[in-house]
């Protein structure tokens, strides 16, 4: 994957964070998280809006897109398609907000608002076959399928009528099939069948909270519940007896297939703050129904995990799987954690890099450009594939529906942000809540943000600190003596030294830090003006690569009319 972000890593293989264990503190009421197709950005959705974190620039505060709401975000999904890597969809009570991160405008980055549910949306899922299609489900028991080329109303709707929906997932092999969970029941729908479910399975004794399709078998699906079970189904063979049951010591909130090998990653609802990686293969001596030990446990969070994501690098070429992975998790402890995976962990669930991939593997992220939407400088490219513009779609729909149909289709329109590569003003949904500029958040103190970043160290259950072993040693992120077990008398990294300066010298403000160029901009006030009046001065500091062993940093004061040339020369000497 080639980089589309100037100045950053050219590919994921140049990422300074991929082989590290990292913890990032984000003091926001985040409800859910998602990852970009190339794996460089993380979207955290909170009651305040959307926060975009560049995993290759973790010391920079997130880009912040405001949307103030009293409702917790139930789900956020970044489009998994390389062709639509600018779309992020998040919930806002009964509505789904479609953010376009490529829109650089002083107005909202919300391109569409999908509104057809009468109760709170509980889940969002993009189709694995069409980059313009997604599904939502809600407490109102409805499942709506949307085509973002004609976003005024759903293109298909299914309803259980008796119980609200908790999960909705598109089949990874069959573009017509979709599954939803309603209380204890799993419904399998086919959009060619109409309103009647193709299959209904009473999967658990308590409410289902997790549904996930097998990545290669079109009839196989996994469910989980608070009854402490993970069940594997093949509804074509048997809709009453599962193929296998994994019993866990904790209520299961989510259980999903790993994008590699034969793994299942389970997220507890309570009683454990670890993620549990299971091997789903039935080998000799493994019970078809019973408790099994996890192949690995990902520790680190001090409270419940709320979401987990897989960060890939590499690709599948000519049927050969050359991908590597890193686990990203978000918890109620307000920590975003990156977990390094070594070969032994992957081998425990049957994955070996360089092996032939299983047939029918649907890889939507292939070809995604390695770029970030953290910075608000990306303009829409005329060559970028785009769906039919909102104006054209609404005009076409209006000609078929009439004026009354347009007004009652579930979306009210007004003229707002740009939504096409031609920069034409088009109708977009009316805003809900309060929107701000799509810029990096300014009310996050840079030093406070940097203090929340921890690299290469994480507490284990025994209380001691462990450090990860790495194949790379990025100078901006890691100390020169990284790996030593003794106490450190000096700051560990370039960033931590800057942080210490900001904490120690209260009258010095750290305005900007760039780890790649090893430079910082600091500012302060001092009696350097005429008649010793206080004036503001900016100082550009550059740290050589061999600092602090062999070189000292260089300082350059920015010229200002408030300070004379003689004073500047005196301060610089």
């Amino acid at each position: 994957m080639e980089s589309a972000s100037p100045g950053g890593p050219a590919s994921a293989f140049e990422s300074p964070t991929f082989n590290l264990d990292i913890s990032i503190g984000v003091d926001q009421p985040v409800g859910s998280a998602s990852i970009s197709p190339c794996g460089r950005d993380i979207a955290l959705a909170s009651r305040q809006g959307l926060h975009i974190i560049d995993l290759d620039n973790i010391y920079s505060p997130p880009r912040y897109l405001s949307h103030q709401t009293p409702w917790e975000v139930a789900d956020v999904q970044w489009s998994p398609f390389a062709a639509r890597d600018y779309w992020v969809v998040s919930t806002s009570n009964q509505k789904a907000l479609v953010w376009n991160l490529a829109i650089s405008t002083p107005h909202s980055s919300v391109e569409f608002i999908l509104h057809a549910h009468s109760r709170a949306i509980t889940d969002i899922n993009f189709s694995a076959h069409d980059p313009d299609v997604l599904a939502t489900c809600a407490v109102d028991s409805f499942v709506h399928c949307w085509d973002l080329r004609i976003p005024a109303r759903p293109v298909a709707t299914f309803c259980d009528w008796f119980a609200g929906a908790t999960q909705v997932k598109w089949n990874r092999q069959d573009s017509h099939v979709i599954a939803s969970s309603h209380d204890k029941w799993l419904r399998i729908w086919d959009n060619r069948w109409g309103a009647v479910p193709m299959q209904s399975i009473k999967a658990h004794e308590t409410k289902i909270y997790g549904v996930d399709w097998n990545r290669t078998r079109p009839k196989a699906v996994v469910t989980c519940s608070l009854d402490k079970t993970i069940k594997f189904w093949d509804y074509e063979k048997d809709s009453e007896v599962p193929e296998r049951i994994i019993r866990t010591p904790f209520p299961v909130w989510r259980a999903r297939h790993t994008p590699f090998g034969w793994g299942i990653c389970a997220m507890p609802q309570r009683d454990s703050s670890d993620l549990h990686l299971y091997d789903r293969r039935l080998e000799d001596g493994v019970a078809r129904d019973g408790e099994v030990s996890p192949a690995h446990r990902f520790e680190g969070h001090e409270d419940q995990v709320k979401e987990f994501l897989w960060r890939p690098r590499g690709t599948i070429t000519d049927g050969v799987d050359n991908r590597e992975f890193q686990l990203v998790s978000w918890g109620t402890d307000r920590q975003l954690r990156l977990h390094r995976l070594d070969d032994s962990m992957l081998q425990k669930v049957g994955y070996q890099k360089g092996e032939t991939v299983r047939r029918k593997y649907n890889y939507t992220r292939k070809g995604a450009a390695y770029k970030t939407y953290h910075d608000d400088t990306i303009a829409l490219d005329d060559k970028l594939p785009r769906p039919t513009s909102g104006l054209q779609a609404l005009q076409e729909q209006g000609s078929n529906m009439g004026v009354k149909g347009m007004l009652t289709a579930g979306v009210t329109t007004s003229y707002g942000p740009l939504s096409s590569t031609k920069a034409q003003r088009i109708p977009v949904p009316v805003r809900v809540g309060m929107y701000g500029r799509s810029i990096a958040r300014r009310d996050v103190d840079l030093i406070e943000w940097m203090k929340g970043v921890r690299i290469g160290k994480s507490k284990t259950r025994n209380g001691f600190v462990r450090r990860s072993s790495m194949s790379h040693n990025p100078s901006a992120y890691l100390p020169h003596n990284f790996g030593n077990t003794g106490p450190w008398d000096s700051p560990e990294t370039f960033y931590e030294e800057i942080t210490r300066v900001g904490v120690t010298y209260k009258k010095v403000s750290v305005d900007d830090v760039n780890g790649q160029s090893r430079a910082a901009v600091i500012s302060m006030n001092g009696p350097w003006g005429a008649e010793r009046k206080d004036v503001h001065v900016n100082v550009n500091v550059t740290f050589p690569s061999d600092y602090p062993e062999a070189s000292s940093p260089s300082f350059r004061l920015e010229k200002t009319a408030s300070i004379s040339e003689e004073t500047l020369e005196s301060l610089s000497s």
Side-chain angles (χ1 to χ4, degrees), residues 12-13 17-21 35 37 39 215 257-261 277 298 309-316 321-328 338-343 345-347 349 351-354 357 361 363 365:
F13 290 95
T17 60
F18 196 91
N19 286 316
L20 303 179
D21 289 317
I35 192 167
R215 292 180 178 269
H257 296 88
T258 59
F260 51 86
L277 179 64
F298 295 95
L309 311 157
W310 297 103
R311 183 189 185 192
R313 73 175 179 187
T315 188
I316 299 173
D321 197 340
N322 292 306
R323 295 174 298 161
E324 300 173 0
F325 298 91
Q326 185 180 41
L327 177 64
V328 182
L338 279 64
H339 308 261
R340 179 177 178 269
L341 274 69
D342 57 36
D343 292 341
M345 297 180 195
L346 300 173
Q347 289 169 3
V349 293
Y351 179 76
Q352 181 71 44
K353 180 181 175 181
V357 72
Y361 191 91
Y363 188 41
R365 301 174 186 269

Side-chain angles (χ1 to χ4, degrees), residues 46-49 64-71 92-93 95 97 99 107-108 110 113 429-436:
S46 74
R47 296 178 182 180
Q48 309 301 322
Y64 171 56
L65 298 96
S66 177
H67 173 255
Q68 305 288 340
T69 174
W71 301 290
S92 180
N93 197 20
K95 302 177 178 67
L97 311 180
W99 304 80
H107 305 288
S108 168
V110 175
I113 294 180
V430 168
R431 306 170 191 163
V432 289
M434 299 168 58
Y435 296 89

